[in-house]
Amino acid sequence: MVYILLGEGFEEAEALVPADLLRRAGVETALVGLEDQMVTGSHGITVQADRTLEEVDLEGMEMLVLPGGLGGVESIQMNLFALALIQRSYDRGIYLAAICAAPTILAHQGFLDRRKAVCYPGMEDEMGSAVVQKGKNVVVDGHIITAEAAGSAFDFGLKLVETLRGPAAAEQVRESVHYRC
């Protein structure tokens, strides 16, 4: 199961594009509202999450995805249960994926120390000792996947599919949506 955390003010494309691509690949994926199932993104789009944070099952989790959006990132950083879930996921070696401003959450928790990563341009100072790969859309270092911004949402989503189901599955999804880049 892949869980995608949605805090108020999340970047819609960074959550929904990866969710769509993962589901197309047959990966069980749930959108998770931090406090409620109805969560409003940074562009005023309200999404009904599949479940709330209390309903997350750590035992069956393959990956935890953190979309960006400054409001969404702040919501996650202010939620002790979300931070504890991220910590437990990291400790268990579960894949952690973060895009745009969200890699700073991982950096603040020390998970990106001396790891290759990418974030929204201009936020590099918040990445601690991460080895920031400027100009890259998606960076994988061990069980951590980071991506640059909303414009990287398709590349990010396809990398998540590839990571969990292999290159052939990612290529099949890429072809099915006619993504060319």
Side-chain angles (χ1 to χ4, degrees):
M1 170 70 82
V2 173
Y3 293 110
I4 301 176
L5 294 186
L6 304 181
E8 286 291 321
F10 73 96
E11 174 60 53
E12 293 93 340
E14 296 169 2
L16 300 179
V17 169
D20 178 271
L21 297 175
L22 286 160
R23 287 180 178 182
R24 286 173 188 265
V27 177
E28 192 175 2
T29 303
L31 300 172
V32 178
L34 296 185
E35 315 246 340
D36 188 30
Q37 280 190 284
M38 300 305 288
V39 188
T40 302
S42 61
H43 297 96
I45 300 171
T46 300
V47 173
Q48 181 172 342
D50 301 302
R51 60 191 65 183
T52 61
L53 194 54
E54 294 110 24
E55 298 170 299
V56 169
D57 174 22
L58 187 63
E59 297 305 317
M61 186 188 320
E62 290 183 84
M63 179 181 286
L64 182 63
V65 180
L66 311 175
L70 290 177
V73 167
E74 184 177 322
S75 294
I76 291 171
Q77 289 176 322
M78 302 288 284
N79 187 304
L80 296 178
F81 294 109
L83 293 176
L85 177 64
I86 296 166
Q87 179 69 54
R88 288 193 313 259
S89 300
Y90 179 81
D91 291 345
R92 289 178 174 227
I94 292 169
Y95 285 106
L96 290 172
I99 183 170
C100 195
T104 64
I105 297 168
L106 303 179
H108 293 163
Q109 290 190 275
F111 303 157
L112 297 180
D113 290 347
R114 296 177 308 281
R115 287 184 182 266
K116 293 178 184 174
V118 67
C119 65
Y120 187 80
M123 300 193 83
E124 294 85 0
D125 290 345
E126 294 188 47
M127 293 292 284
S129 66
V131 182
V132 177
Q133 307 291 296
K134 290 185 180 184
K136 299 270 188 181
N137 282 346
V138 181
V139 174
V140 179
D141 191 330
H143 68 282
I144 298 179
I145 303 162
T146 55
E148 187 179 55
S152 306
F154 270 91
D155 292 334
F156 181 61
L158 290 168
K159 182 54 75 176
L160 303 183
V161 170
E162 179 182 324
T163 299
L164 295 174
R165 298 298 183 262
E171 185 58 31
Q172 182 180 14
V173 170
R174 177 191 312 277
E175 287 296 319
S176 75
V177 298
H178 296 274
Y179 178 66
R180 311 271 188 259
C181 190

